Amino acid sequence: MQQTSSPRKDLLGIEHLPREVIDHLLDRSDHYYELLLSEHPIPQNDLLAGRTVANLFFENSTRTRFSFELAEQRLGGQHISFTSQGTSVSKGESLLDTVKVLEAMKLDAIVVRHSSYGVPGFIAKHVADHVHVINAGDGAHEHPTQALLDAATMRMIMGTLEKKRVAIIGDIRHSRVARSNIWLLQKYGCDITLIGPDTLMARHAAEVFGVKVQREMGNIVHEVDMIIALRVQLERQASALFPTLEEFTSMYGLTAARLAGSKAHLLHPGPVNIGVELDFDAVYGEHSVILRQVKRGVAVRMAVLEWVFS
Ligand code: CP
């Protein structure tokens, strides 16, 4: 949470979010997860009755966007969903004008994804005091609800996050998921190792984040409790950052064979480049908890909406 001049609650990132708030959000997401898994109809929840949330997605999304929409519906709220195509953004309308136009239609919260670092914070500074802002991913900065759903998944499997060993593998440099996960897991004393080629590593990662960094996989899959594999973000790479995808895959790609004998659970935020960072058998194999992460998405976003409005 980054504070604005008003006491309003926003979720702009994990870095400055107190651990007790994260504990609360994970506990509430467990509660909503149990309800969503139940065979009984989900009890009517009117927490967002009479409220409208705008989901502003300036970048593509499947998991985050639809799970926010479902979370808003399940809490009894209304939502409007916005993408740059088909709106006046494609005619050159600025971000601030777009936000002001939507605000004039009486909104209570904005969920925003954007390719630029800091856009949710910028919106939070310019919207009316009663409009909550939630970051759904900004550039290579943060993706707080993804880190929360990853943490909820890991906590459910292992019982605790305290002092676990975690490897984050692949395109760290472009990854907001990596950053939010590092900030979150460090609040629980986790031992984090980043693995990837120099060209895909965040600059000065060891010093900035206080983590271990290694260029080669070595024996890491047998040394950790959790592996977070990252999508190679081909769309963000201004120039080729590794010679060929085949070379990246041979060095850092996880296959069922490579994971054999490991006790680690495998996470990936999705979407997966199958055959690049993971092969099909790794995605759907015994180590994978990737679909459990997706299942967690709605529950975590219900918990976040409940918290900002509480
Ligand atoms: N993990 C994630 O943010 O996926 P989407 O891009 O599909 O929302």
Side-chain angles (χ1 to χ4, degrees):
M1 177 178 55
Q2 290 157 21
Q3 293 296 333
T4 58
S5 54
S6 75
R8 180 187 76 206
K9 277 195 259 175
D10 298 325
L11 180 64
L12 303 183
I14 295 291
E15 184 179 1
H16 304 292
L17 198 65
R19 175 169 155 169
E20 57 269 23
V21 174
I22 296 173
D23 285 335
H24 169 78
L25 291 171
L26 297 181
D27 290 345
R28 292 301 295 162
S29 99
D30 283 351
H31 164 75
Y32 283 121
Y33 189 67
E34 297 290 319
L35 285 182
L36 294 174
L37 285 188
S38 154
E39 286 170 12
H40 304 292
I42 301 166
Q44 185 62 35
N45 185 324
D46 59 1
L47 188 91
L48 294 190
R51 314 243 202 203
T52 305
V53 180
N55 302 308
L56 310 190
F57 280 76
F58 294 89
E59 267 192 349
N60 294 339
S61 168
T62 300
R63 293 152 196 77
T64 311
R65 179 177 155 198
F66 293 122
S67 59
F68 264 114
E69 289 182 7
L70 281 170
E72 289 147 12
Q73 281 171 16
R74 286 174 177 162
L75 292 174
Q78 294 178 315
H79 68 262
I80 52 173
S81 287
F82 168 102
T83 57
S84 347
Q85 284 91 28
T87 65
S88 289
V89 168
S90 64
K91 295 190 248 169
E93 187 161 71
S94 76
L95 173 67
L96 190 57
D97 285 340
T98 302
V99 169
K100 288 290 173 193
V101 165
L102 291 168
E103 187 189 288
M105 298 180 191
K106 192 177 174 333
L107 287 180
D108 300 289
I110 292 175
V111 174
V112 59
R113 168 171 291 191
H114 201 284
S115 58
S116 294
Y117 180 116
V119 161
F122 173 81
I123 292 174
K125 284 201 178 80
H126 289 91
V127 286
D129 282 349
H130 70 278
V131 180
H132 302 277
V133 181
I134 299 172
N135 183 358
D138 60 329
H141 177 218
E142 283 235 32
H143 193 346
T145 57
Q146 180 68 44
L148 287 166
L149 77 87
D150 291 348
T153 307
M154 293 188 231
R155 195 178 77 156
M156 178 154 277
I157 292 166
M158 295 186 295
T160 176
L161 296 172
E162 295 289 344
K163 298 193 172 13
K164 295 297 178 189
R165 289 207 60 192
V166 183
I168 305 180
I169 302 175
D171 187 354
I172 315 284
R173 178 168 168 173
H174 299 99
S175 178
R176 53 198 175 210
V177 174
R179 281 166 184 73
S180 289
N181 265 302
I182 292 168
W183 298 130
L184 191 152
L185 293 168
Q186 284 185 328
K187 294 178 200 285
Y188 294 86
C190 291
D191 176 357
I192 302 169
T193 306
L194 307 183
I195 300 146
D198 280 339
T199 49
L200 293 182
M201 189 53 63
R203 290 206 177 86
H204 310 297
E207 295 78 21
V208 171
F209 299 113
V211 294
K212 296 176 195 155
V213 174
Q214 62 187 61
R215 269 73 195 170
E216 294 184 3
M217 294 282 278
N219 204 31
I220 196 79
V221 301
H222 299 286
E223 294 168 352
V224 294
D225 303 297
M226 291 281 155
I227 298 168
I228 302 176
L230 299 171
R231 188 170 70 87
V232 177
Q233 300 193 32
L234 298 166
E235 73 278 17
R236 293 193 207 277
Q237 303 196 17
S239 56
L241 294 175
F242 42 83
T244 63
L245 278 180
E246 288 73 22
E247 184 172 313
F248 174 88
T249 301
S250 73
M251 289 190 71
Y252 303 103
L254 290 171
T255 60
R258 202 167 204 171
L259 290 167
S262 164
K263 66 176 173 53
H265 300 279
L266 172 66
L267 294 90
H268 189 296
V272 180
N273 295 306
I274 292 191
V276 180
E277 62 267 6
L278 300 180
D279 75 356
F280 182 90
D281 290 339
V283 174
Y284 295 103
E286 58 175 318
H287 297 89
S288 174
V289 295
I290 294 170
L291 287 178
R292 285 208 226 180
Q293 289 173 268
V294 176
K295 275 190 191 162
R296 271 276 165 183
V298 177
V300 160
R301 284 151 186 142
M302 288 172 81
V304 167
L305 287 161
E306 177 190 77
W307 174 73
V308 296
F309 280 107
S310 63

